[in-house]
mmCIF file of all heavy atoms in Angstrom:
data_model
loop_
_atom_site.group_PDB
_atom_site.id
_atom_site.type_symbol
_atom_site.label_atom_id
_atom_site.label_comp_id
_atom_site.label_asym_id
_atom_site.label_seq_id
_atom_site.Cartn_x
_atom_site.Cartn_y
_atom_site.Cartn_z
ATOM 1 N N CYS A 1564 -152.910 -2.699 -40.715
ATOM 2 C CA CYS A 1564 -153.708 -3.701 -39.963
ATOM 3 C C CYS A 1564 -154.492 -3.015 -38.831
ATOM 4 O O CYS A 1564 -155.663 -3.380 -38.629
ATOM 5 C CB CYS A 1564 -152.753 -4.773 -39.473
ATOM 6 S SG CYS A 1564 -152.058 -5.813 -40.727
ATOM 7 N N VAL A 1565 -153.851 -2.186 -38.097
ATOM 8 C CA VAL A 1565 -154.575 -1.426 -36.997
ATOM 9 C C VAL A 1565 -155.754 -0.625 -37.526
ATOM 10 O O VAL A 1565 -156.813 -0.651 -36.957
ATOM 11 C CB VAL A 1565 -153.602 -0.543 -36.171
ATOM 12 C CG1 VAL A 1565 -154.331 0.307 -35.256
ATOM 13 C CG2 VAL A 1565 -152.519 -1.450 -35.528
ATOM 14 N N HIS A 1566 -155.525 0.031 -38.616
ATOM 15 C CA HIS A 1566 -156.621 0.885 -39.187
ATOM 16 C C HIS A 1566 -157.802 0.033 -39.616
ATOM 17 O O HIS A 1566 -158.929 0.368 -39.302
ATOM 18 C CB HIS A 1566 -156.086 1.712 -40.355
ATOM 19 C CG HIS A 1566 -157.197 2.526 -41.044
ATOM 20 N ND1 HIS A 1566 -157.745 3.614 -40.498
ATOM 21 C CD2 HIS A 1566 -157.714 2.332 -42.290
ATOM 22 C CE1 HIS A 1566 -158.653 4.114 -41.295
ATOM 23 N NE2 HIS A 1566 -158.650 3.340 -42.379
ATOM 24 N N LEU A 1567 -157.450 -1.025 -40.315
ATOM 25 C CA LEU A 1567 -158.536 -1.930 -40.806
ATOM 26 C C LEU A 1567 -159.340 -2.525 -39.589
ATOM 27 O O LEU A 1567 -160.531 -2.627 -39.580
ATOM 28 C CB LEU A 1567 -158.025 -2.983 -41.705
ATOM 29 C CG LEU A 1567 -157.471 -2.531 -42.999
ATOM 30 C CD1 LEU A 1567 -156.919 -3.722 -43.806
ATOM 31 C CD2 LEU A 1567 -158.529 -1.872 -43.847
ATOM 32 N N GLY A 1568 -158.590 -2.906 -38.497
ATOM 33 C CA GLY A 1568 -159.243 -3.418 -37.385
ATOM 34 C C GLY A 1568 -160.109 -2.392 -36.637
ATOM 35 O O GLY A 1568 -161.217 -2.721 -36.232
ATOM 36 N N MET A 1569 -159.653 -1.148 -36.567
ATOM 37 C CA MET A 1569 -160.455 -0.089 -35.918
ATOM 38 C C MET A 1569 -161.733 0.181 -36.739
ATOM 39 O O MET A 1569 -162.863 0.299 -36.145
ATOM 40 C CB MET A 1569 -159.652 1.136 -35.846
ATOM 41 C CG MET A 1569 -158.582 1.067 -34.732
ATOM 42 S SD MET A 1569 -159.220 0.990 -33.076
ATOM 43 C CE MET A 1569 -157.713 1.215 -32.173
ATOM 44 N N VAL A 1570 -161.624 0.235 -38.055
ATOM 45 C CA VAL A 1570 -162.772 0.551 -38.871
ATOM 46 C C VAL A 1570 -163.823 -0.623 -38.796
ATOM 47 O O VAL A 1570 -165.047 -0.422 -38.741
ATOM 48 C CB VAL A 1570 -162.377 0.785 -40.352
ATOM 49 C CG1 VAL A 1570 -163.585 0.879 -41.263
ATOM 50 C CG2 VAL A 1570 -161.542 2.081 -40.421
ATOM 51 N N PHE A 1571 -163.245 -1.875 -38.757
ATOM 52 C CA PHE A 1571 -164.158 -3.041 -38.655
ATOM 53 C C PHE A 1571 -164.899 -3.015 -37.367
ATOM 54 O O PHE A 1571 -166.147 -3.233 -37.327
ATOM 55 C CB PHE A 1571 -163.356 -4.300 -38.797
ATOM 56 C CG PHE A 1571 -164.149 -5.505 -38.489
ATOM 57 C CD1 PHE A 1571 -165.036 -6.078 -39.386
ATOM 58 C CD2 PHE A 1571 -164.001 -6.265 -37.215
ATOM 59 C CE1 PHE A 1571 -165.722 -7.221 -39.145
ATOM 60 C CE2 PHE A 1571 -164.756 -7.306 -36.916
ATOM 61 C CZ PHE A 1571 -165.598 -7.839 -37.882
ATOM 62 N N LEU A 1572 -164.256 -2.720 -36.253
ATOM 63 C CA LEU A 1572 -164.894 -2.602 -34.958
ATOM 64 C C LEU A 1572 -165.877 -1.436 -34.924
ATOM 65 O O LEU A 1572 -166.919 -1.545 -34.210
ATOM 66 C CB LEU A 1572 -163.859 -2.489 -33.832
ATOM 67 C CG LEU A 1572 -162.972 -3.689 -33.617
ATOM 68 C CD1 LEU A 1572 -161.901 -3.331 -32.574
ATOM 69 C CD2 LEU A 1572 -163.776 -4.914 -33.155
ATOM 70 N N HIS A 1573 -165.600 -0.406 -35.658
ATOM 71 C CA HIS A 1573 -166.539 0.810 -35.642
ATOM 72 C C HIS A 1573 -167.909 0.396 -36.316
ATOM 73 O O HIS A 1573 -168.967 0.790 -35.857
ATOM 74 C CB HIS A 1573 -165.895 1.907 -36.320
ATOM 75 C CG HIS A 1573 -166.757 3.109 -36.556
ATOM 76 N ND1 HIS A 1573 -167.290 3.889 -35.491
ATOM 77 C CD2 HIS A 1573 -167.315 3.674 -37.693
ATOM 78 C CE1 HIS A 1573 -167.983 4.859 -36.008
ATOM 79 N NE2 HIS A 1573 -168.059 4.666 -37.283
ATOM 80 N N VAL A 1574 -167.841 -0.385 -37.441
ATOM 81 C CA VAL A 1574 -169.077 -0.627 -38.184
ATOM 82 C C VAL A 1574 -169.641 -1.985 -37.702
ATOM 83 O O VAL A 1574 -170.756 -2.276 -38.161
ATOM 84 C CB VAL A 1574 -168.747 -0.685 -39.701
ATOM 85 C CG1 VAL A 1574 -168.219 0.625 -40.190
ATOM 86 C CG2 VAL A 1574 -167.730 -1.809 -40.019
ATOM 87 N N ALA A 1575 -168.960 -2.734 -36.914
ATOM 88 C CA ALA A 1575 -169.457 -3.994 -36.495
ATOM 89 C C ALA A 1575 -170.555 -3.826 -35.435
ATOM 90 O O ALA A 1575 -170.584 -2.784 -34.735
ATOM 91 C CB ALA A 1575 -168.309 -4.884 -35.913
ATOM 92 N N PRO A 1576 -171.397 -4.793 -35.245
ATOM 93 C CA PRO A 1576 -172.445 -4.682 -34.145
ATOM 94 C C PRO A 1576 -171.742 -4.605 -32.779
ATOM 95 O O PRO A 1576 -170.567 -4.927 -32.611
ATOM 96 C CB PRO A 1576 -173.213 -6.023 -34.289
ATOM 97 C CG PRO A 1576 -172.988 -6.461 -35.667
ATOM 98 C CD PRO A 1576 -171.575 -5.999 -36.042
ATOM 99 N N SER A 1577 -172.470 -4.125 -31.810
ATOM 100 C CA SER A 1577 -171.963 -3.972 -30.484
ATOM 101 C C SER A 1577 -171.474 -5.320 -29.865
ATOM 102 O O SER A 1577 -172.158 -6.271 -29.979
ATOM 103 C CB SER A 1577 -173.022 -3.366 -29.553
ATOM 104 O OG SER A 1577 -172.502 -3.171 -28.234
ATOM 105 N N ASN A 1578 -170.210 -5.315 -29.364
ATOM 106 C CA ASN A 1578 -169.672 -6.513 -28.829
ATOM 107 C C ASN A 1578 -168.790 -6.106 -27.575
ATOM 108 O O ASN A 1578 -168.753 -4.959 -27.187
ATOM 109 C CB ASN A 1578 -168.871 -7.249 -29.895
ATOM 110 C CG ASN A 1578 -167.782 -6.382 -30.525
ATOM 111 O OD1 ASN A 1578 -166.864 -5.842 -29.915
ATOM 112 N ND2 ASN A 1578 -168.062 -6.105 -31.823
ATOM 113 N N THR A 1579 -168.144 -7.077 -27.095
ATOM 114 C CA THR A 1579 -167.359 -6.855 -25.856
ATOM 115 C C THR A 1579 -166.233 -5.930 -26.090
ATOM 116 O O THR A 1579 -165.905 -5.044 -25.234
ATOM 117 C CB THR A 1579 -166.848 -8.236 -25.318
ATOM 118 O OG1 THR A 1579 -167.882 -9.151 -25.129
ATOM 119 C CG2 THR A 1579 -166.050 -8.001 -24.034
ATOM 120 N N VAL A 1580 -165.624 -6.043 -27.275
ATOM 121 C CA VAL A 1580 -164.467 -5.164 -27.575
ATOM 122 C C VAL A 1580 -164.911 -3.702 -27.685
ATOM 123 O O VAL A 1580 -164.309 -2.803 -27.125
ATOM 124 C CB VAL A 1580 -163.695 -5.659 -28.799
ATOM 125 C CG1 VAL A 1580 -162.573 -4.704 -29.164
ATOM 126 C CG2 VAL A 1580 -163.188 -7.051 -28.634
ATOM 127 N N THR A 1581 -165.998 -3.511 -28.449
ATOM 128 C CA THR A 1581 -166.449 -2.145 -28.609
ATOM 129 C C THR A 1581 -167.011 -1.514 -27.347
ATOM 130 O O THR A 1581 -166.905 -0.353 -27.092
ATOM 131 C CB THR A 1581 -167.543 -2.087 -29.681
ATOM 132 O OG1 THR A 1581 -168.572 -2.991 -29.313
ATOM 133 C CG2 THR A 1581 -167.017 -2.552 -31.036
ATOM 134 N N LYS A 1582 -167.563 -2.302 -26.456
ATOM 135 C CA LYS A 1582 -168.052 -1.810 -25.155
ATOM 136 C C LYS A 1582 -166.859 -1.427 -24.266
ATOM 137 O O LYS A 1582 -166.985 -0.407 -23.502
ATOM 138 C CB LYS A 1582 -168.859 -2.820 -24.495
ATOM 139 C CG LYS A 1582 -170.239 -3.084 -25.175
ATOM 140 C CD LYS A 1582 -170.999 -4.127 -24.416
ATOM 141 C CE LYS A 1582 -172.385 -4.403 -25.137
ATOM 142 N NZ LYS A 1582 -173.126 -5.518 -24.492
ATOM 143 N N THR A 1583 -165.754 -2.176 -24.335
ATOM 144 C CA THR A 1583 -164.586 -1.904 -23.510
ATOM 145 C C THR A 1583 -163.723 -0.791 -24.022
ATOM 146 O O THR A 1583 -163.275 0.040 -23.236
ATOM 147 C CB THR A 1583 -163.692 -3.209 -23.293
ATOM 148 O OG1 THR A 1583 -164.605 -4.298 -22.823
ATOM 149 C CG2 THR A 1583 -162.671 -2.974 -22.320
#
Side-chain angles (χ1 to χ4, degrees):
C1564 292
V1565 171
H1566 175 71
L1567 293 178
M1569 289 292 188
V1570 173
F1571 172 77
L1572 293 174
H1573 174 68
V1574 300
S1577 179
N1578 52 66
T1579 304
V1580 177
T1581 56
K1582 291 178 180 179
T1583 306

